[in-house]
Amino acid sequence: MKKHWWHKATIYQIYPKSFMDSNGDGIGDLKGITSKLDYLQKLGITAIWLSPVYQSPMDDNGYDISDYQAIADIFGDMADMEELLAQAKQRGIRIIMDLVVNHTSDEHAWFVEARENPDSPERDYYIWRDQPNDLDSIFGGSAWQYDDKSSQYYLHFFSKKQPDLNWENAALRQKVYDMMNWWIDKGIAGFRMDVIDMIGKIPDQKIANNGPKLHDYIKEMHQATLAGKDLLTVGETWGATPEIAKKYSSPAEEELSMVFQFEHIGLQHKPNAPKWDYEKELNVPALKAIFNKWQTELELGQGWNSLFWNNHDLPRVLSIWGDTAAYREKSAKALAIALHLMRGTPYIYQGEEIGMTNYPFKDLGEIDDIESLNFAKEALENGKTSEEVLDSIRMIGRDNARTPMQWDSSKNAGFSTADKTWLPVNPNHNTINVQAALYNPESIFYTYQKLIKLRKENEWLIDADFELLETADKVFAYLRKTADAVYLVVVNVSDDKQVFDMPIAVSEEIISNTDVSTVLTNKMLEPWDAFCVKLC
Ligand code: TEU
Ligand code: CA
């Protein structure tokens, strides 16, 4: 199999509004990111996935784009973007942009023209109907919005300010490819592709994901923009299975490098229920089975996995699956070891590497996210109490991932000098912050730094096959096997002691958050014990 730079890379996701504020307006910006590149170089990451920084009315914090080739004023200007690219390149860090082409903002020039002039070519860049069907928006309510200017409804699977694009229109597709090439010519290293599995939608047949022409469009996109270039492309595909993931990521398909699948994330809420009905307890056996399926069915050369616990849409993993009290640091290291030693490209979400947690939202007034606000409105109208609504948002609302990055224990955690930041800073920043992490050789940061380095320096992390081992329910143990070496990873994914009596002979300790010889002598794993060893 041809190896690419991203097979050995670890990618760091930055949510620009919340990473670093350089001009004291309480909002993160591009200059702020540039000022923190030395920190990211120390962590050792290979590339940054930059959530959208394009011109946007910020209805969905930038995932509603009004100009793909201009920078939103709150983040700076194109010179700042080019400076970030140049400064990152000097440090061996690549930049991956967020490609949001399932929809635009309703303030995009295309939609403004389409709305103003029903006979314009842009009209068919979107999806208009005289009558809506009962498709629902992912953000609640109908997926159809009536436009009285042209007396038709337009489709929006997200907010009404995010009209869906009509990918059946070849001229629209070409506009997208031209924009992609414009960014590629600026020296970016690839794209994360927002809900890309929705661009083949057939609304009249109520098909949203995995439509019949989806892969035709992606193959066309590949030939028009990606072919012959060594770019990382990762599709956000909530509806993917391993079989579908092969269609996207098998080199022979000439589509994408990999996808984000979300089957493990689905364990965060009750089966066939909205995410707000969250699960209080992690089902570890189910998690192990999902990882086993994805690790074994996406064979080397047939496709490639992404590996992640967090992103800007998800609760902080320590708060929903780890521990935020006595075992905060140990459980963070354990979850990192469990994830990063599997086959795939790992993604670290800003703050994950220092063990940031969910935010203790006091009331709905502190909530920013349109998805949470729409849920709250609908839930309260349907009789839920505000405490019930807040409980769901506190556990699984997207704002938990979007509170400012915690740099130090000073005011606003060193994120901003403003009196008020756009989202509140977590009060636990007085102990959970980058400065404290860098100062403590035993911090979570240095576990991530070591995992990133291991991946860069060890081919077995790419090549070795995965084999799940039969263990106690809450012990996640697997082998990584090559022709001449076997590595064992063992993680106690619980607050409890777990028996571990597997007879093993260790030739080398690779990484651990515990004393491996004590584990083997006692045949017992302490809460959140995790280690990887090379076997004799
Ligand atoms: O998310 C796709 C998406 O469906 C998520 O919104 C997800 O369903 C939900 O957040 C689960 O809680 C992408 C972006 O990552 C997200 O930030 C955007 O809001 C959305 O697309 C629209 O662009
Ligand atoms: Ca700012």
Side-chain angles (χ1 to χ4, degrees), residues 22 52 55 68 78 154 198 210 231 239 286 335 343 349 358 405 412 421 432 435 453-454 472 476 506 515 531 533:
S22 71
Q55 212 159 71
Y68 290 101
M78 194 52 78
Y154 64 85
M198 297 180 77
N210 301 317
L231 303 174
L335 291 168
R343 180 189 281 158
Y349 180 67
N358 277 5
M405 180 72 179
N412 295 335
T421 52
I432 301 175
Q435 190 178 54
K453 189 167 183 297
L454 277 170
F476 179 29
V506 174
D515 181 288
F531 63 86
V533 291

Side-chain angles (χ1 to χ4, degrees), residues 13 15 49 51-52 60-64 98 100-103 138-139 157-159 162 192-195 197-198 209 236 238 262 265 268-269 275-276 311-315 369-371 396-398 402:
Q13 184 193 355
Y15 196 71
W49 154 24
S51 274
D60 186 15
N61 285 335
Y63 282 91
D64 51 316
D98 209 318
V100 186
V101 291
N102 172 68
H103 48 271
I138 289 168
F139 287 165
F157 270 114
F158 292 96
S159 87
Q162 292 171 289
R192 176 265 184 181
M193 298 189 182
D194 193 63
V195 287
D197 63 346
M198 297 180 77
N209 306 73
E236 182 197 26
W238 281 79
F262 292 82
I265 299 300
Q268 293 183 350
H269 47 83
K275 71 179 210 180
W276 310 104
N311 68 26
H312 62 291
D313 293 332
L314 300 177
D369 174 30
I370 186 164
E371 182 189 50
I396 206 160
R398 302 193 302 179
R402 302 172 181 184

